[in-house]
């Protein structure tokens, strides 16, 4: 019997080609998923940084106003106190013309940092960011030549407060890296004039 020239592929060659193609496709899929996860992580870090910068900038701007001072948070109106998230603090800043309160809202499903001017009937920049989940404030004052940061309940002379230590807990809305939420706990200290 005489063999003829075959121009097609055998079944084994097709199966080997399909196996190699599927293997390469799975590697590309894994690489794409890794790149997408990394991009989401970087995006979440950017959201965290933007939220912290915006909050710090507004807080510093309020504290830099003429005659700005830290006020006792007990002066925050009851209507605002009812909205403050459990186990978080409110921060009250007063100037000659206005009183401004910062707080994390507990009413919404997703907690948000709010800034309200108490001397105006309208919210200013209400709902600054949905990323800040917790706000803790400690007040710095000199006690027997030692700088100590105390909670509001331990401050007796609010005029002696020279620094505030702000601790915020930030979690981007859609943050998840390998099904674990990305949460950053940031602290910074701001001087009071």
């Amino acid at each position: 019997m005489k063999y003829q020239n075959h121009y097609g592929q055998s079944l084994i060659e097709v199966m080997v080609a399909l196996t190699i193609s599927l293997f390469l496709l799975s590697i590309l899929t894994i690489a794409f998923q890794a790149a997408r996860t990394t991009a989401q992580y970087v995006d979440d870090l950017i959201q965290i940084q933007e939220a912290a910068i915006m909050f710090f900038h507004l807080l510093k701007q309020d504290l830099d106003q003429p005659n700005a001072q830290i006020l006792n948070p007990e002066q925050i109106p009851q209507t605002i106190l009812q909205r403050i998230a459990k186990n978080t603090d409110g921060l009250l800043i007063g100037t000659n013309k206005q009183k401004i309160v910062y707080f994390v809202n507990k009413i919404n499903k997703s907690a948000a940092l709010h800034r309200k001017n108490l001397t105006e009937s309208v919210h200013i920049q209400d709902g600054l960011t949905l990323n800040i989940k917790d706000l803790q404030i400690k007040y710095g004052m000199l006690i027997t030549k030692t700088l100590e940061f105390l909670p509001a309940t331990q401050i007796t002379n609010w005029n002696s407060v020279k620094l505030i230590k702000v601790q915020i807990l930030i979690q981007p809305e859609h943050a998840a890296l390998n099904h674990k939420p990305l949460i950053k706990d940031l602290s910074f200290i701001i001087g009071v004039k």
Side-chain angles (χ1 to χ4, degrees), residues 51 108 110-114 127-133 171-173:
N108 297 336
S110 59
L113 177 72
H114 292 264
L128 293 175
T129 177
L130 295 175
N131 300 336
I132 296 181
K133 306 294 184 194
Q171 178 181 5
E173 290 181 65

Side-chain angles (χ1 to χ4, degrees), residues 65-110:
Q65 292 183 29
N67 299 318
Q69 62 184 18
I70 302 296
L71 301 175
N72 187 341
E74 291 178 0
Q75 297 177 16
I76 296 174
Q78 189 64 32
T79 55
I80 300 292
L81 287 175
Q82 293 171 353
R83 295 174 59 191
I84 295 177
K86 188 176 183 178
N87 299 323
T88 67
D89 295 331
L91 175 63
L92 185 61
I93 299 169
T95 66
N96 289 341
K97 297 181 181 179
Q98 59 188 358
K99 284 185 181 178
I100 297 170
V101 63
Y102 287 88
F103 63 97
V104 175
N105 192 345
K106 71 176 179 184
I107 294 175
N108 297 336
K109 286 184 180 179
S110 59

